Amino acid sequence: MKLAIIGGGSTYSPEILGGLTAPDSALGLTELVLQDPRPERLGPVAGFCRRLASKAGASFAVRDTASLDAALDGADFVVVQIRVGGQEGRHADIRTGLDFGLIGQETTGVGGFAKALRSIPEVLEIARRMEQRCPDAWMLNFTNPSGMVTEALLRHGRERVIGLCNVPIEMHMEVAKLLGRPREDVQLDWVGLNHLGWLRKVIVDGDDLLPGLIEKIEQMNASGQALSGPANIPELQYPPGFLRALGMIPSSYVRYFYATDEMLESIQAAPRSRAQEVMEIESELLALYADERQDTLPSQLSKRGGAWYSRLAVDLLGALQSDTPTVHIVNTQSRGTVEGMPDDAVVEVPCRISRAGVEPTVQDPPQESIIGLMRHVKAYERLAVEAAVDRSRDKAYMALVANPLVPGASKARSVLDRLIERGLI
Ligand code: G6P
């Protein structure tokens, strides 16, 4: 089995080696190819991955290449984790938001929109090349904004694609830890869109433990603690009683909508943008990876937001090669399983995954308290996908107007003009 990682020069890549080389791994991997056009990253990352593989006695080869076609040739699985525009682009997106008093986060608000405009055409091009080089391969897409990129792929020709995000698996791990149970014993009822998900039930031995868990989190909040989430999202607490009234646990990203002012203040107050912080973490990581003596994962990785991403990728590689379906929370088209969502809209829900493909499981209808926001964000996302695919400024304008974090046509026009100046549309 050949696995290609596009954007393999990411400092996250070495994490995946742990799962690929686990003693019980039955993935049948023979070749791992890391592809990246930036030699200054690919060199140290690939060298470090080779050291990790050889230390673990891996039976597969680790290769690296700058050529997309060479990486894709004959691949069975393709992980796409590119960051178009790099951290510099991410920083500029954050600034674009802040300059207009808006949230310019990596995937949310005007930052996510700018990133979608940059990323969607590039990932569609990778999909086009896959049609020529490895038409039957599965694409596992981590490229952000993952839900929108996956929707673009599914609506524009690639069927074998799954949109992945570490947020649900991170929540799963965190909840299992709080309950003192292994993750396998805990089933989550989760509904929403990527970076807009809600945990609605926590089933253990047939019982829903969510109400008790919410009480526990309310008490933790009262004593100044919070449920831990991705390292890149400011830890803010909701007002007392909010989670109890909601009856669900929103994923960390939902705070940008439920606590917009506080999140904006926290971004404005930060001495450096998240992109600048990550630049520093990455330069430390790359220096460690380049050191021949380094043969364990550095602790700096825990400062990144993508915790458990590699575990999810490895779980999916196993699931897609098995005849027995297993359930994973991923992004795929709703196909009638989420009431109120268009059939071809990408949603984030538990799916049964096996060699036969991805089957979203039927959900209880989204609660009144969340369906409005889901629809609102989905309308923005669909317009954004169309704007990115058609390179249409009018559609981009309408996408911005439809974004719940952009108040009104005048501000949307100013943001659009800035994105035009930046050459994004
Ligand atoms: C979260 C998100 C990812 C995102 C990451 C950013 O985990 O789910 O989509 O890429 O954070 O982390 P970073 O360390 O780059 O800020």
Side-chain angles (χ1 to χ4, degrees):
M1 185 269 268
K2 173 177 173 180
L3 168 64
I5 303 187
I6 310 305
S10 159
T11 51
Y12 280 123
S13 295
E15 276 189 9
I16 209 168
L17 266 288
L20 298 178
T21 56
D24 58 350
S25 168
L27 299 174
L29 184 64
T30 50
E31 188 181 359
L32 169 66
V33 181
L34 304 173
Q35 183 277 344
D36 206 292
R38 301 158 302 174
E40 67 287 3
R41 301 179 70 103
L42 187 59
V45 170
F48 181 49
C49 287
R50 273 191 274 275
R51 286 201 295 286
L52 291 178
S54 115
K55 186 180 168 197
S59 52
F60 55 86
V62 180
R63 302 191 210 290
D64 61 275
T65 177
S67 159
L68 179 60
D69 287 340
L72 296 180
D73 260 336
D76 299 285
F77 293 95
V78 178
V79 170
V80 183
Q81 51 177 38
I82 60 173
R83 184 186 284 283
V84 186
Q87 296 295 341
E88 293 77 14
R90 181 180 183 181
H91 177 71
D93 295 344
I94 295 171
R95 289 283 358 146
T96 297
L98 289 181
D99 286 350
F100 297 100
L102 301 174
I103 286 177
Q105 204 271 341
E106 185 195 15
T107 58
T108 310
V110 301
F113 180 60
K115 192 168 170 78
L117 292 178
R118 274 202 299 275
S119 304
I120 287 173
E122 299 275 336
V123 181
L124 288 177
E125 174 60 18
I126 294 170
R128 202 181 60 74
R129 303 265 205 109
M130 282 179 70
E131 289 308 314
Q132 295 156 1
R133 303 281 171 166
C134 52
D136 296 329
W138 276 99
M139 182 197 280
L140 302 181
N141 177 59
F142 279 104
T143 304
N144 269 328
S146 180
M148 280 194 259
V149 171
T150 305
E151 182 149 336
L153 286 159
L154 282 161
R155 277 167 62 187
H156 294 278
R158 176 115 215 127
E159 275 175 34
R160 292 191 146 212
V161 57
I162 307 180
L164 299 187
C165 175
N166 65 317
V167 167
I169 190 172
E170 183 169 26
M171 178 84 96
H172 205 165
M173 294 292 186
E174 205 47 41
V175 163
K177 195 167 91 189
L178 272 180
L179 295 172
R181 301 288 293 246
R183 176 172 70 120
E184 298 67 43
D185 290 0
V186 180
Q187 270 88 53
L188 304 187
D189 171 345
W190 178 279
V191 78
L193 314 180
N194 180 234
H195 287 182
L196 193 81
W198 288 266
L199 175 58
R200 302 193 297 177
K201 281 183 194 154
V202 175
I203 305 295
V204 180
D205 301 331
D207 295 322
D208 179 11
L209 303 188
L210 186 66
L213 202 61
I214 287 179
E215 283 311 316
K216 192 165 178 171
I217 297 169
E218 287 275 1
Q219 281 162 20
M220 284 167 60
N221 287 350
S223 62
Q225 294 168 271
L227 184 68
S228 94
N232 58 316
I233 311 273
E235 292 272 349
L236 282 182
Q237 289 167 23
Y238 289 118
F242 172 71
L243 294 179
R244 195 178 297 125
L246 182 67
M248 293 174 260
I249 302 181
S251 75
S252 307
Y253 281 86
V254 185
R255 284 189 208 140
Y256 290 105
F257 300 90
Y258 284 163
T260 311
D261 292 348
E262 294 91 326
M263 293 302 266
L264 182 59
E265 278 161 27
S266 117
I267 300 172
Q268 283 166 334
R272 292 180 307 165
S273 72
R274 178 64 189 166
Q276 290 172 315
E277 284 172 14
V278 172
M279 284 181 214
E280 190 176 305
I281 301 169
E282 288 212 292
S283 71
E284 286 172 27
L285 282 169
L286 287 171
L288 287 167
Y289 294 169
D291 183 341
E292 294 289 328
R293 292 160 304 176
Q294 183 75 31
D295 66 355
T296 53
L297 291 176
S299 61
Q300 280 87 339
L301 274 170
S302 65
K303 297 186 193 166
R304 299 297 307 277
W308 301 109
Y309 111 98
S310 55
R311 173 69 180 270
L312 178 63
V314 171
D315 282 357
L316 267 275
L317 293 174
L320 287 165
Q321 294 187 80
S322 164
D323 291 318
T324 312
T326 42
V327 175
H328 305 268
I329 301 173
V330 299
N331 289 267
T332 194
Q333 283 178 326
S334 166
R335 307 202 304 252
T337 57
V338 180
E339 202 176 291
M341 281 288 139
D343 283 355
D344 64 350
V346 164
V347 290
E348 189 170 87
V349 290
C351 294
R352 288 158 55 84
I353 299 181
S354 68
R355 202 187 295 281
V358 184
E359 186 195 332
T361 56
V362 178
Q363 300 299 306
D364 289 339
Q367 283 78 344
E368 288 290 350
S369 52
I370 64 174
I371 186 66
L373 184 53
M374 277 173 64
R375 287 295 310 250
H376 197 162
V377 173
K378 181 46 74 180
Y380 145 71
E381 288 191 356
R382 288 164 79 78
L383 286 162
V385 167
E386 286 179 19
V389 171
D390 299 346
R391 308 313 295 164
S392 157
R393 290 181 181 173
D394 281 347
K395 285 182 181 167
Y397 189 14
M398 286 307 101
L400 284 165
V401 171
N403 189 315
L405 296 175
V406 179
S410 302
K411 204 149 243 192
R413 182 71 234 182
S414 308
V415 172
L416 179 65
D417 288 341
R418 175 66 57 85
L419 297 179
I420 291 171
E421 261 167 51
R422 289 181 55 202
L424 291 179
I425 183 84

Short mmCIF file of all heavy atoms in Angstrom, two decimals, residues 76-120:
data_model
loop_
_atom_site.label_atom_id
_atom_site.label_comp_id
_atom_site.label_asym_id
_atom_site.label_seq_id
_atom_site.Cartn_x
_atom_site.Cartn_y
_atom_site.Cartn_z
N ASP A 76 -2.38 4.61 -3.08
CA ASP A 76 -3.67 4.05 -2.65
C ASP A 76 -4.42 5.05 -1.77
O ASP A 76 -5.65 5.08 -1.76
CB ASP A 76 -3.43 2.76 -1.86
CG ASP A 76 -2.75 1.73 -2.70
OD1 ASP A 76 -3.41 1.14 -3.56
OD2 ASP A 76 -1.52 1.54 -2.54
N PHE A 77 -3.64 5.83 -1.02
CA PHE A 77 -4.24 6.84 -0.15
C PHE A 77 -3.41 8.12 -0.28
O PHE A 77 -2.18 8.06 -0.36
CB PHE A 77 -4.23 6.38 1.32
CG PHE A 77 -5.13 5.20 1.56
CD1 PHE A 77 -4.62 3.91 1.54
CD2 PHE A 77 -6.49 5.39 1.79
CE1 PHE A 77 -5.46 2.82 1.75
CE2 PHE A 77 -7.33 4.31 2.00
CZ PHE A 77 -6.81 3.02 1.98
N VAL A 78 -4.13 9.24 -0.27
CA VAL A 78 -3.44 10.53 -0.40
C VAL A 78 -3.95 11.45 0.72
O VAL A 78 -5.15 11.77 0.76
CB VAL A 78 -3.74 11.16 -1.78
CG1 VAL A 78 -3.07 12.53 -1.90
CG2 VAL A 78 -3.29 10.23 -2.91
N VAL A 79 -3.06 11.79 1.63
CA VAL A 79 -3.41 12.76 2.67
C VAL A 79 -3.03 14.14 2.14
O VAL A 79 -1.89 14.33 1.70
CB VAL A 79 -2.65 12.45 3.99
CG1 VAL A 79 -2.83 13.59 4.99
CG2 VAL A 79 -3.12 11.13 4.60
N VAL A 80 -3.99 15.07 2.13
CA VAL A 80 -3.69 16.41 1.62
C VAL A 80 -3.73 17.38 2.80
O VAL A 80 -4.77 17.55 3.43
CB VAL A 80 -4.69 16.82 0.52
CG1 VAL A 80 -4.31 18.20 -0.04
CG2 VAL A 80 -4.69 15.80 -0.61
N GLN A 81 -2.59 17.97 3.09
CA GLN A 81 -2.50 18.85 4.28
C GLN A 81 -1.68 20.08 3.92
O GLN A 81 -0.72 20.42 4.61
CB GLN A 81 -1.87 18.07 5.44
CG GLN A 81 -0.57 17.35 5.09
CD GLN A 81 0.07 16.65 6.28
OE1 GLN A 81 -0.62 16.09 7.13
NE2 GLN A 81 1.38 16.69 6.36
N ILE A 82 -2.09 20.73 2.83
CA ILE A 82 -1.31 21.89 2.38
C ILE A 82 -1.78 23.16 3.08
O ILE A 82 -2.92 23.26 3.50
CB ILE A 82 -1.36 22.06 0.84
CG1 ILE A 82 -2.80 22.25 0.35
CG2 ILE A 82 -0.74 20.86 0.15
CD1 ILE A 82 -2.90 22.58 -1.13
N ARG A 83 -0.85 24.10 3.19
CA ARG A 83 -1.20 25.41 3.74
C ARG A 83 -0.77 26.44 2.70
O ARG A 83 0.38 26.88 2.67
CB ARG A 83 -0.47 25.65 5.07
CG ARG A 83 -0.85 26.94 5.75
CD ARG A 83 0.03 27.16 6.97
NE ARG A 83 -0.38 26.32 8.09
CZ ARG A 83 -1.43 26.56 8.87
NH1 ARG A 83 -2.20 27.59 8.64
NH2 ARG A 83 -1.70 25.75 9.87
N VAL A 84 -1.72 26.76 1.82
CA VAL A 84 -1.40 27.67 0.71
C VAL A 84 -1.16 29.06 1.30
O VAL A 84 -1.98 29.57 2.05
CB VAL A 84 -2.57 27.70 -0.30
CG1 VAL A 84 -2.19 28.53 -1.53
CG2 VAL A 84 -2.99 26.29 -0.70
N GLY A 85 0.00 29.64 0.95
CA GLY A 85 0.32 30.98 1.48
C GLY A 85 1.08 30.92 2.79
O GLY A 85 1.52 31.96 3.30
N GLY A 86 1.25 29.75 3.34
CA GLY A 86 2.05 29.58 4.57
C GLY A 86 1.52 30.38 5.75
O GLY A 86 0.41 30.91 5.73
N GLN A 87 2.36 30.43 6.79
CA GLN A 87 1.95 31.18 7.99
C GLN A 87 1.89 32.68 7.70
O GLN A 87 1.17 33.42 8.36
CB GLN A 87 2.92 30.92 9.15
CG GLN A 87 2.96 29.47 9.64
CD GLN A 87 1.65 29.00 10.25
OE1 GLN A 87 0.79 29.80 10.64
NE2 GLN A 87 1.46 27.70 10.33
N GLU A 88 2.64 33.12 6.67
CA GLU A 88 2.60 34.55 6.31
C GLU A 88 1.19 34.90 5.83
O GLU A 88 0.63 35.94 6.18
CB GLU A 88 3.62 34.89 5.21
CG GLU A 88 5.07 34.78 5.63
CD GLU A 88 5.56 33.33 5.69
OE1 GLU A 88 4.87 32.43 5.17
OE2 GLU A 88 6.64 33.12 6.29
N GLY A 89 0.63 34.01 5.01
CA GLY A 89 -0.74 34.23 4.52
C GLY A 89 -1.72 34.22 5.67
O GLY A 89 -2.66 35.04 5.74
N ARG A 90 -1.51 33.30 6.60
CA ARG A 90 -2.40 33.21 7.77
C ARG A 90 -2.33 34.51 8.59
O ARG A 90 -3.35 35.03 9.04
CB ARG A 90 -1.97 32.01 8.62
CG ARG A 90 -2.80 31.76 9.85
CD ARG A 90 -2.25 30.54 10.58
NE ARG A 90 -3.03 30.17 11.74
CZ ARG A 90 -2.73 29.16 12.53
NH1 ARG A 90 -1.69 28.39 12.28
NH2 ARG A 90 -3.48 28.88 13.58
N HIS A 91 -1.11 35.02 8.75
CA HIS A 91 -0.95 36.27 9.51
C HIS A 91 -1.69 37.41 8.80
O HIS A 91 -2.41 38.20 9.43
CB HIS A 91 0.54 36.59 9.67
CG HIS A 91 0.79 37.88 10.38
ND1 HIS A 91 0.55 38.05 11.72
CD2 HIS A 91 1.22 39.09 9.93
CE1 HIS A 91 0.82 39.29 12.08
NE2 HIS A 91 1.23 39.94 11.00
N ALA A 92 -1.53 37.47 7.48
CA ALA A 92 -2.21 38.54 6.72
C ALA A 92 -3.73 38.40 6.84
O ALA A 92 -4.45 39.41 6.91
CB ALA A 92 -1.78 38.50 5.25
N ASP A 93 -4.23 37.17 6.89
CA ASP A 93 -5.68 36.96 7.05
C ASP A 93 -6.16 37.48 8.40
O ASP A 93 -7.22 38.10 8.52
CB ASP A 93 -6.03 35.47 6.96
CG ASP A 93 -5.73 34.88 5.59
OD1 ASP A 93 -5.55 35.66 4.63
OD2 ASP A 93 -5.69 33.63 5.49
N ILE A 94 -5.36 37.19 9.43
CA ILE A 94 -5.74 37.64 10.78
C ILE A 94 -5.77 39.18 10.80
O ILE A 94 -6.69 39.81 11.31
CB ILE A 94 -4.75 37.08 11.84
CG1 ILE A 94 -4.87 35.55 11.89
CG2 ILE A 94 -5.00 37.70 13.22
CD1 ILE A 94 -3.79 34.85 12.73
N ARG A 95 -4.74 39.78 10.16
CA ARG A 95 -4.66 41.26 10.12
C ARG A 95 -5.84 41.84 9.34
O ARG A 95 -6.41 42.86 9.73
CB ARG A 95 -3.35 41.73 9.44
CG ARG A 95 -2.11 41.49 10.25
CD ARG A 95 -1.84 42.44 11.39
NE ARG A 95 -2.76 43.53 11.63
CZ ARG A 95 -3.07 44.01 12.82
NH1 ARG A 95 -2.56 43.47 13.91
NH2 ARG A 95 -3.88 45.03 12.95
N THR A 96 -6.21 41.19 8.25
CA THR A 96 -7.35 41.70 7.46
C THR A 96 -8.57 41.78 8.36
O THR A 96 -9.30 42.78 8.35
CB THR A 96 -7.61 40.79 6.24
OG1 THR A 96 -6.48 40.83 5.40
CG2 THR A 96 -8.85 41.22 5.46
N GLY A 97 -8.81 40.75 9.13
CA GLY A 97 -9.94 40.78 10.06
C GLY A 97 -9.80 41.92 11.05
O GLY A 97 -10.70 42.77 11.19
N LEU A 98 -8.63 41.96 11.72
CA LEU A 98 -8.45 42.96 12.79
C LEU A 98 -8.56 44.38 12.26
O LEU A 98 -9.11 45.26 12.94
CB LEU A 98 -7.10 42.75 13.48
CG LEU A 98 -6.99 41.49 14.36
CD1 LEU A 98 -5.61 41.40 15.01
CD2 LEU A 98 -8.09 41.45 15.43
N ASP A 99 -8.09 44.62 11.05
CA ASP A 99 -8.15 45.98 10.50
C ASP A 99 -9.59 46.49 10.36
O ASP A 99 -9.83 47.68 10.32
CB ASP A 99 -7.46 46.03 9.12
CG ASP A 99 -5.95 45.97 9.26
OD1 ASP A 99 -5.45 46.07 10.41
OD2 ASP A 99 -5.26 45.80 8.23
N PHE A 100 -10.53 45.55 10.27
CA PHE A 100 -11.94 45.96 10.16
C PHE A 100 -12.72 45.64 11.43
O PHE A 100 -13.95 45.61 11.43
CB PHE A 100 -12.58 45.30 8.93
CG PHE A 100 -11.94 45.74 7.65
CD1 PHE A 100 -11.00 44.95 7.02
CD2 PHE A 100 -12.24 46.99 7.12
CE1 PHE A 100 -10.37 45.38 5.86
CE2 PHE A 100 -11.62 47.42 5.96
CZ PHE A 100 -10.68 46.62 5.32
N GLY A 101 -12.00 45.33 12.51
CA GLY A 101 -12.65 45.02 13.78
C GLY A 101 -13.39 43.69 13.73
O GLY A 101 -14.40 43.50 14.43
N LEU A 102 -12.87 42.75 12.91
CA LEU A 102 -13.56 41.46 12.73
C LEU A 102 -12.62 40.30 13.05
O LEU A 102 -11.39 40.47 13.07
CB LEU A 102 -14.02 41.32 11.27
CG LEU A 102 -14.98 42.39 10.74
CD1 LEU A 102 -15.21 42.18 9.25
CD2 LEU A 102 -16.30 42.33 11.50
N ILE A 103 -13.25 39.14 13.23
CA ILE A 103 -12.46 37.94 13.48
C ILE A 103 -11.86 37.43 12.18
O ILE A 103 -12.58 37.21 11.20
CB ILE A 103 -13.34 36.90 14.19
CG1 ILE A 103 -13.53 37.36 15.63
CG2 ILE A 103 -12.72 35.50 14.12
CD1 ILE A 103 -14.39 36.55 16.49
N GLY A 104 -10.54 37.29 12.18
CA GLY A 104 -9.84 36.81 10.98
C GLY A 104 -9.15 35.50 11.27
O GLY A 104 -8.03 35.27 10.84
N GLN A 105 -9.82 34.67 12.05
CA GLN A 105 -9.22 33.40 12.45
C GLN A 105 -8.96 32.51 11.23
O GLN A 105 -9.63 32.67 10.20
CB GLN A 105 -10.18 32.73 13.45
CG GLN A 105 -9.53 31.74 14.39
CD GLN A 105 -9.50 30.34 13.84
OE1 GLN A 105 -10.24 30.02 12.93
NE2 GLN A 105 -8.63 29.50 14.39
N GLU A 106 -8.02 31.57 11.40
CA GLU A 106 -7.58 30.70 10.30
C GLU A 106 -8.72 30.07 9.48
O GLU A 106 -8.64 29.98 8.26
CB GLU A 106 -6.72 29.58 10.91
CG GLU A 106 -6.10 28.66 9.90
CD GLU A 106 -5.58 27.37 10.55
OE1 GLU A 106 -5.93 27.06 11.71
OE2 GLU A 106 -4.83 26.67 9.87
N THR A 107 -9.78 29.63 10.15
CA THR A 107 -10.85 28.94 9.42
C THR A 107 -12.20 29.63 9.58
O THR A 107 -13.17 29.21 8.97
CB THR A 107 -11.02 27.48 9.92
OG1 THR A 107 -11.31 27.52 11.31
CG2 THR A 107 -9.78 26.67 9.66
N THR A 108 -12.27 30.62 10.44
CA THR A 108 -13.56 31.20 10.82
C THR A 108 -13.56 32.69 10.48
O THR A 108 -12.52 33.34 10.54
CB THR A 108 -13.78 30.99 12.34
OG1 THR A 108 -13.55 29.63 12.63
CG2 THR A 108 -15.19 31.34 12.75
N GLY A 109 -14.73 33.22 10.13
CA GLY A 109 -14.82 34.65 9.81
C GLY A 109 -14.06 34.96 8.52
O GLY A 109 -13.89 34.10 7.66
N VAL A 110 -13.58 36.20 8.40
CA VAL A 110 -12.97 36.61 7.13
C VAL A 110 -11.63 35.91 6.89
O VAL A 110 -11.21 35.75 5.74
CB VAL A 110 -12.81 38.15 7.04
CG1 VAL A 110 -14.15 38.84 7.17
CG2 VAL A 110 -11.85 38.69 8.07
N GLY A 111 -10.97 35.47 7.96
CA GLY A 111 -9.71 34.73 7.78
C GLY A 111 -9.96 33.41 7.08
O GLY A 111 -9.25 33.03 6.14
N GLY A 112 -10.98 32.70 7.53
CA GLY A 112 -11.32 31.42 6.90
C GLY A 112 -11.73 31.61 5.45
O GLY A 112 -11.44 30.77 4.59
N PHE A 113 -12.39 32.74 5.19
CA PHE A 113 -12.81 33.01 3.81
C PHE A 113 -11.60 33.23 2.91
O PHE A 113 -11.50 32.67 1.81
CB PHE A 113 -13.74 34.23 3.78
CG PHE A 113 -14.23 34.58 2.41
CD1 PHE A 113 -14.97 33.67 1.68
CD2 PHE A 113 -13.94 35.80 1.84
CE1 PHE A 113 -15.43 33.98 0.39
CE2 PHE A 113 -14.39 36.12 0.56
CZ PHE A 113 -15.13 35.20 -0.16
N ALA A 114 -10.65 34.04 3.40
CA ALA A 114 -9.44 34.29 2.61
C ALA A 114 -8.71 32.97 2.35
O ALA A 114 -8.23 32.70 1.25
CB ALA A 114 -8.53 35.26 3.37
N LYS A 115 -8.67 32.14 3.37
CA LYS A 115 -7.96 30.86 3.22
C LYS A 115 -8.69 29.95 2.22
O LYS A 115 -8.06 29.24 1.44
CB LYS A 115 -7.84 30.18 4.58
CG LYS A 115 -6.88 29.01 4.59
CD LYS A 115 -6.61 28.60 6.02
CE LYS A 115 -5.85 27.31 6.14
NZ LYS A 115 -4.44 27.44 5.88
N ALA A 116 -10.01 29.97 2.26
CA ALA A 116 -10.78 29.16 1.30
C ALA A 116 -10.47 29.62 -0.13
O ALA A 116 -10.27 28.79 -1.02
CB ALA A 116 -12.28 29.29 1.58
N LEU A 117 -10.40 30.94 -0.34
CA LEU A 117 -10.10 31.44 -1.69
C LEU A 117 -8.74 30.95 -2.18
O LEU A 117 -8.56 30.64 -3.35
CB LEU A 117 -10.13 32.98 -1.71
CG LEU A 117 -11.49 33.64 -1.50
CD1 LEU A 117 -11.33 35.16 -1.50
CD2 LEU A 117 -12.50 33.23 -2.58
N ARG A 118 -7.78 30.88 -1.24
CA ARG A 118 -6.43 30.41 -1.62
C ARG A 118 -6.38 28.90 -1.82
O ARG A 118 -5.73 28.40 -2.72
CB ARG A 118 -5.44 30.73 -0.49
CG ARG A 118 -4.83 32.08 -0.52
CD ARG A 118 -3.52 32.10 0.26
NE ARG A 118 -3.72 31.77 1.67
CZ ARG A 118 -4.06 32.65 2.60
NH1 ARG A 118 -4.27 33.90 2.26
NH2 ARG A 118 -4.19 32.29 3.85
N SER A 119 -7.07 28.17 -0.92
CA SER A 119 -6.85 26.72 -0.87
C SER A 119 -7.67 25.93 -1.88
O SER A 119 -7.19 24.92 -2.41
CB SER A 119 -7.20 26.18 0.54
OG SER A 119 -6.46 26.87 1.50
N ILE A 120 -8.91 26.35 -2.11
CA ILE A 120 -9.81 25.51 -2.92
C ILE A 120 -9.26 25.25 -4.32
O ILE A 120 -9.20 24.09 -4.75
CB ILE A 120 -11.25 26.10 -2.90
CG1 ILE A 120 -11.86 25.84 -1.52
CG2 ILE A 120 -12.11 25.50 -4.01
CD1 ILE A 120 -13.22 26.49 -1.27
#
